[in-house]
Amino acid sequence: MAKLLRNLKKLFKYIKNRAMMNEQQENTHEENLAQEDTPQTEQETVSKEERLTQELSESNDRYARLFAEFDNYKKRTSKERIDLIQSAGQGVITKLLPIIDDFDRALHAMSTAQDIDSVKQGIELVNSKFRKLLENEGLKEMEVLGHPFDAEYQEAITAIPAPDEDQKNKVLDVVEKGYFLNDKVIRFAKVVIGQ
């Protein structure tokens, strides 16, 4: 994003400089016209018209080049943005690969294991490693069980009678956990509330 802003600043500076150069050329041309107080012959008038036509074609050429440069800049930045979006998850996926390897080893160990407790411990270790990685990437699980219902973060699937008066309009059960990613809700919690 910073690179895009730098490129935009450079482009606007370039356009501003071009506009100033055109303005200076026009001012110089106007001064030259003002200095010519002598009567002109027909030949001088024709040469002036040719010169003005040539200046106009040069200005049009500069405008076309500037427009083409800007168009190329837009295409390049949109391509960079697409590349960035497509490769945005690459870092997280790369960090997940060792955990996938751990799961593969755990599945292999489960097929030949006689001791269920060691397999259970291995799966719990892989699970905690996986959750720790996600937390480091900014993922945070919503803590909603027993808290008052909040429609901003939760979706009520159903409402059941509350066991006591204190649990009215509070979350009694979580059907599907909700998650934050860097303090932004990426999945709402699906909950059962008491009435």
Side-chain angles (χ1 to χ4, degrees), residues 46-64:
V46 171
S47 65
K48 239 184 195 182
E49 287 176 2
E50 289 173 355
R51 188 174 37 134
L52 289 174
T53 305
Q54 183 181 3
E55 287 177 8
L56 178 63
S57 67
E58 288 174 3
S59 294
N60 286 340
D61 184 52
R62 278 183 285 197
Y63 171 75

Side-chain angles (χ1 to χ4, degrees), residues 133-148:
L133 173 86
L134 292 176
E135 282 177 21
N136 290 339
E137 293 299 319
L139 187 72
K140 184 179 171 190
E141 186 178 310
M142 287 184 193
E143 298 293 330
V144 296
L145 193 59
H147 291 80

Side-chain angles (χ1 to χ4, degrees), residues 25-42:
Q25 286 178 351
E26 288 176 13
N27 290 341
T28 305
H29 179 68
E30 288 174 6
E31 288 173 5
N32 289 341
L33 288 178
Q35 289 176 357
E36 295 176 1
D37 292 335
T38 59
Q40 301 172 351
T41 64
E42 192 176 306

